[in-house]
Amino acid sequence: MEEFEKLIQQYEAESFYQKGEKIKGKIIKIQDDKAYIDIGQKIEAVIPVNQIEGYKEGDEIIAIFTGKKDKDGYFILSRKGIDIQEKIKFLKEAFEKKYKLRGEIEKVLEKGYIVDIKGLKAFMPKSESSLNKEEQLFENMPVEFYIINLNTSKKYPKIIVSRKKVLEEERKAEKEKLLSLIKEGQIIKGKVVKITDKGAVINIDNIIYAFLPKHLISWDKNKTLEPNQEIEAIVKEKKEDKIIVSMKDLEPNPYEKFSIGDIVEAQIKEINKYGLVVVVDNAEGFIPASHTSHFGYNMKKFQIGQKIKAKIIEIDKEKGQLKLSIKEIEENPVEKFLKENPIGNIIKAKVKSVKNKIAFIDLGEIEGILRLEDAIFGKEVKDLNSILKPNQIYKFKIIGTQKDKIIVGLKQVKEEAWNEFIKNHKIGDVIEAEVKKLIDKGAFVDINEDIEGFIPVSEIAIERINIPSDKLSLHQKVKAKIIDIDEKNKKIKLSIKALLLEEKRKEEEKKKQEEVKEKQEETKKVEGLGTLGDILKQKLGDKK
């Protein structure tokens, strides 16, 4: 009876369904490698399990009636053509609507991966497999992806998928979530991933990036960072997805303890044409070149590592900036010099260098200048080199200032000496002098330290001489008579000849006087003896 019923059912099925016809059925049982399908008309058919992947008992499916039977007498259904079409339809929809799909790595290739999508094969290029170029995927690894290219024009569809886009979406969601949690003033931890001349890029939780500006790394401007260094920082500023962080704000501010007017000890860290970079108790400061001295910017007098005293004249505690001054705590060297050597004083100083119309005088910390017009009386001398020698010490009078220089005079010293000299000397006086210079026209002599005289060649000797050196030599001590005093030009003319002539005249007068005296004495002798007769009488009288 059962066999008869099966025959009836077989007949009804064969008469009701045509070979190759699409029919709808319901999965009533899945067992081993086949599923049993109710196709209506009280007829059951079977289909291989691998053709209903994704379906379960109770689901309805569409299959093709093959007209064949298995060994148990069940009609065999097939979804091969329908399965591919459904899958392609599904893939088209997923591609167009950008659905996220799941699959499995089936094979690892050199340039990418073969991915199984419901029995269809897709290719995932290595560049689309991860956000990290170093990450390696492995076979049978489950993955999520998007279809980024789909070509169904041929028998088997060409499918290109991207896991990277899924990861980017996830990263974006994580980034948005993390960004929503981060607030200004919050302390965060991160890792240094890149260092530039402007600062460092910090990775936070491998999701978002923050920027650490160079000036916010530390109050210590020498502090540096290393790649992959773990840091702790405070969120300084947050604008949308841009985050600025600061390590410096987590450190105590070394500038808080300073005030304008403080005098501090600083150590020179760097010397440049603009000034000195210094360190003051772990804080960095700057001394402009114009504040290193009252006059001039001689940076060569400083050395790196040198300790100096300076005064704080400006401070920005927020930016960590100190401006200091050395000259603010040092007395103006010109004023200091004038306290010790008021205008009008006479000093002794060494000549540093001499030019035609100006000489520079070494006054220690500062410099003096002597102009030609303050060196001599008259206009005969046109070059200071003729009266001054470098490295020689002379007397100068303080007569004024010019910016950072002291103006000195040489003729003013001589004027005082001159007044003193003519007060005590007059034409005709005999003085002693030392020959200091010989020229064709005569000899210059030093009467004293400040007074100079001149002996014309015609006044050197009684007899005629051609040049002064015929009779005189340098540094020779001579006596001479003052024969002219030019008060206007402060000149004294001397004569050795006049003195020699005077001495000669005196000798001659003395000789004449001696001759007269001698004659007078002889005359007296004769007058004292009387006549010859008187003498004889006297002698005869003595005998009696």
Side-chain angles (χ1 to χ4, degrees), residues 169-193:
E169 270 188 1
E170 292 174 351
R171 176 65 62 86
K172 184 179 178 182
E174 290 174 345
K175 181 179 178 179
E176 290 173 353
K177 182 180 178 181
L178 186 56
L179 279 170
S180 68
L181 297 174
I182 291 177
K183 309 294 180 186
E184 288 185 4
Q186 180 180 342
I187 295 174
I188 55 96
K189 290 183 178 180
K191 181 188 287 188
V192 177
V193 292

Side-chain angles (χ1 to χ4, degrees), residues 144-289:
E144 290 184 316
F145 47 81
Y146 284 103
I147 298 172
I148 58 174
N149 198 344
L150 178 64
N151 186 343
T152 58
S153 60
K154 296 183 179 181
K155 182 178 181 181
Y156 292 102
K158 182 180 179 181
I159 310 163
I160 307 296
V161 297
S162 171
R163 175 175 175 257
K164 181 179 177 180
K165 288 190 175 297
V166 174
L167 298 176
E168 285 175 342
E169 270 188 1
E170 292 174 351
R171 176 65 62 86
K172 184 179 178 182
E174 290 174 345
K175 181 179 178 179
E176 290 173 353
K177 182 180 178 181
L178 186 56
L179 279 170
S180 68
L181 297 174
I182 291 177
K183 309 294 180 186
E184 288 185 4
Q186 180 180 342
I187 295 174
I188 55 96
K189 290 183 178 180
K191 181 188 287 188
V192 177
V193 292
K194 186 178 180 181
I195 298 172
T196 71
D197 57 347
K198 293 182 179 179
V201 179
I202 309 299
N203 183 289
I204 304 172
D205 291 346
N206 290 320
I207 298 173
I208 60 175
Y209 294 92
F211 185 66
L212 173 58
K214 189 175 182 178
H215 71 278
L216 292 179
I217 293 174
S218 176
W219 291 105
D220 179 2
K221 294 179 182 178
N222 291 319
K223 187 171 183 178
T224 57
L225 298 173
E226 298 293 333
N228 300 316
Q229 180 180 339
E230 299 284 347
I231 66 155
E232 196 171 75
I234 190 168
V235 178
K236 188 84 171 173
E237 184 181 327
K238 178 189 173 188
K239 287 183 180 179
E240 297 178 355
D241 61 342
K242 294 180 180 179
I243 300 172
I244 304 296
V245 296
S246 169
M247 293 172 64
K248 185 169 80 172
D249 283 46
L250 295 179
E251 299 175 348
N253 186 338
Y255 294 84
E256 284 292 341
K257 57 180 172 286
F258 298 120
S259 300
I260 291 176
D262 287 352
I263 295 174
V264 297
E265 184 178 74
Q267 187 170 25
I268 298 174
K269 174 186 172 184
E270 180 185 331
I271 302 171
N272 56 54
K273 64 180 180 180
Y274 303 108
L276 306 174
V277 179
V278 297
V279 176
V280 185
D281 195 15
N282 296 323
E284 191 168 280
F286 183 68
I287 303 175

Side-chain angles (χ1 to χ4, degrees), residues 262-268 276 278-280 287 291-293 302 306-312 324-330:
D262 287 352
I263 295 174
V264 297
E265 184 178 74
Q267 187 170 25
I268 298 174
L276 306 174
V278 297
V279 176
V280 185
I287 303 175
H291 277 270
T292 58
S293 172
F302 298 105
Q306 179 183 347
K307 292 183 178 179
I308 54 176
K309 291 280 186 182
K311 184 178 182 179
I312 296 174
L324 304 98
S325 172
I326 296 174
K327 76 176 184 181
E328 290 276 338
I329 60 172
E330 290 182 346

Side-chain angles (χ1 to χ4, degrees), residues 262-523:
D262 287 352
I263 295 174
V264 297
E265 184 178 74
Q267 187 170 25
I268 298 174
K269 174 186 172 184
E270 180 185 331
I271 302 171
N272 56 54
K273 64 180 180 180
Y274 303 108
L276 306 174
V277 179
V278 297
V279 176
V280 185
D281 195 15
N282 296 323
E284 191 168 280
F286 183 68
I287 303 175
S290 59
H291 277 270
T292 58
S293 172
H294 283 275
F295 308 109
Y297 312 145
N298 182 16
M299 307 308 288
K300 291 181 180 179
K301 68 180 181 179
F302 298 105
Q303 294 180 343
I304 291 175
Q306 179 183 347
K307 292 183 178 179
I308 54 176
K309 291 280 186 182
K311 184 178 182 179
I312 296 174
I313 56 175
E314 288 182 22
I315 184 170
D316 188 328
K317 295 181 180 181
E318 288 297 316
K319 293 182 179 179
Q321 295 176 348
L322 281 180
K323 184 177 178 181
L324 304 98
S325 172
I326 296 174
K327 76 176 184 181
E328 290 276 338
I329 60 172
E330 290 182 346
E331 187 177 7
N332 185 312
V334 169
E335 294 174 2
K336 181 182 177 183
F337 180 86
L338 289 176
K339 280 182 183 179
E340 299 170 357
N341 304 279
I343 290 176
N345 269 24
I346 293 175
I347 61 168
K348 286 185 177 182
K350 184 188 290 186
V351 175
K352 288 171 65 176
S353 61
V354 184
K355 295 185 179 180
N356 287 353
K357 295 185 178 181
I358 192 168
F360 297 94
I361 314 302
D362 185 359
L363 299 179
E365 191 177 356
I366 57 175
E367 194 172 56
I369 54 173
L370 172 69
R371 300 188 182 95
L372 179 62
E373 59 266 28
D374 291 317
I376 57 163
F377 296 101
K379 298 182 179 179
E380 290 82 356
V381 178
K382 300 187 182 298
D383 187 348
L384 281 174
N385 286 286
S386 64
I387 60 173
L388 293 177
K389 300 297 178 187
N391 300 316
Q392 294 295 311
I393 294 175
Y394 298 87
K395 279 185 179 180
F396 300 99
K397 187 172 184 177
I398 310 298
I399 60 175
T401 63
Q402 181 180 314
K403 294 183 179 179
D404 60 333
K405 303 268 191 302
I406 300 290
I407 301 174
V408 298
L410 188 62
K411 75 178 184 182
Q412 289 82 356
V413 175
K414 294 183 180 296
E415 186 169 27
E416 289 190 8
W418 172 269
N419 293 335
E420 184 66 23
F421 181 81
I422 62 172
K423 179 181 176 183
N424 299 307
H425 296 81
K426 61 184 182 300
I427 293 174
D429 285 355
V430 177
I431 59 158
E432 190 176 78
E434 182 179 331
V435 178
K436 74 170 184 179
K437 188 176 182 180
L438 298 172
I439 62 174
D440 290 345
K441 292 182 179 181
F444 288 97
V445 295
D446 283 330
I447 298 172
N448 59 37
E449 192 176 6
D450 303 308
I451 301 297
E452 183 181 84
F454 182 68
I455 307 173
V457 67
S458 60
E459 297 295 328
I460 291 175
I462 296 173
E463 68 275 21
R464 179 181 176 82
I465 61 172
N466 293 320
I467 54 176
S469 59
D470 288 344
K471 287 290 184 179
L472 299 177
S473 59
L474 290 176
H475 308 301
Q476 180 181 343
K477 297 281 175 74
V478 297
K479 284 186 177 182
K481 181 182 282 190
I482 299 173
I483 59 174
D484 185 50
I485 297 175
D486 183 350
E487 292 193 32
K488 182 180 178 181
N489 294 309
K490 307 293 189 293
K491 292 182 178 180
I492 297 173
K493 189 183 291 184
L494 302 170
S495 173
I496 298 174
K497 182 172 82 172
L499 185 60
L500 293 173
L501 288 172
E502 184 178 343
E503 289 176 351
K504 182 178 180 182
R505 180 178 58 78
K506 285 182 179 180
E507 281 292 326
E508 288 176 350
E509 286 181 359
K510 183 179 178 183
K511 188 175 181 182
K512 284 181 182 180
Q513 287 175 357
E514 287 176 351
E515 287 176 354
V516 170
K517 186 178 179 182
E518 193 175 310
K519 286 180 181 180
Q520 287 175 346
E521 287 179 353
E522 287 178 357
T523 301

Side-chain angles (χ1 to χ4, degrees), residues 71-89:
K71 62 181 181 178
D72 297 321
Y74 289 97
F75 283 104
I76 298 172
L77 304 178
S78 174
R79 280 179 52 80
K80 282 186 178 179
I82 294 174
D83 187 44
I84 290 175
Q85 290 174 4
E86 285 183 350
K87 287 178 181 179
I88 290 174
K89 182 182 178 182

